[in-house]
Amino acid sequence: MVFTVASFLMPPLLVFGVYHLLTWFNTFGINERTYWRRVALASGISHFLLVTGFLVFWYIDLKNHVRLEGTDTAFGPFLFNRSDFWHLMTVFDTAATLAIVGLFSVLDRMGINPPGLVMVTFSLIYIVGTLQWFWVGGGIGALLEKFFAGLKTGDEEDEDWF
């Protein structure tokens, strides 16, 4: 239960941290952008970091699996068959999962099994998933911007309260 709660809290906390690091150091000229674009950019960068960490973790897990069991398993079959890859993808990267399943369905229907499908899968995860979270983060940023704009009173005397 704790791991489930932690897995759902980690992405927003990472976005929060990345957002503040980007604004503190004004990386990518982020302070000149509107609020929703700043949140969207932080969400996209956070997705990229999370996917990279996930793939590095499962690669290390594969190396330990090969060392302990003595089997010679490639990274692709291990990732697709022995890990929680599909479960995590359907929960967190729905658009990327749909793109991957759609591509694999088309290739299967055509009877084609090209080399490098693992790299194509990773590319789809990075591109489609990052775009998905860019737009989801941008939507949440726009909602927060509207919410915080509604909290302002509009009085000029309230602007210098600090």
Side-chain angles (χ1 to χ4, degrees), residues 4 143 161:
T4 303
L143 290 174
W161 62 272

Side-chain angles (χ1 to χ4, degrees), residues 111-134:
I112 299 173
N113 187 11
L117 282 179
V118 174
M119 295 310 295
V120 170
T121 302
F122 292 169
S123 300
L124 283 173
I125 293 169
Y126 278 116
I127 294 168
V128 176
T130 302
L131 286 175
Q132 170 193 343
W133 284 106
F134 177 85

Side-chain angles (χ1 to χ4, degrees), residues 4-17:
T4 303
V5 172
S7 69
F8 282 105
L9 288 179
M10 188 173 66
L13 290 174
L14 182 64
V15 170
F16 180 78

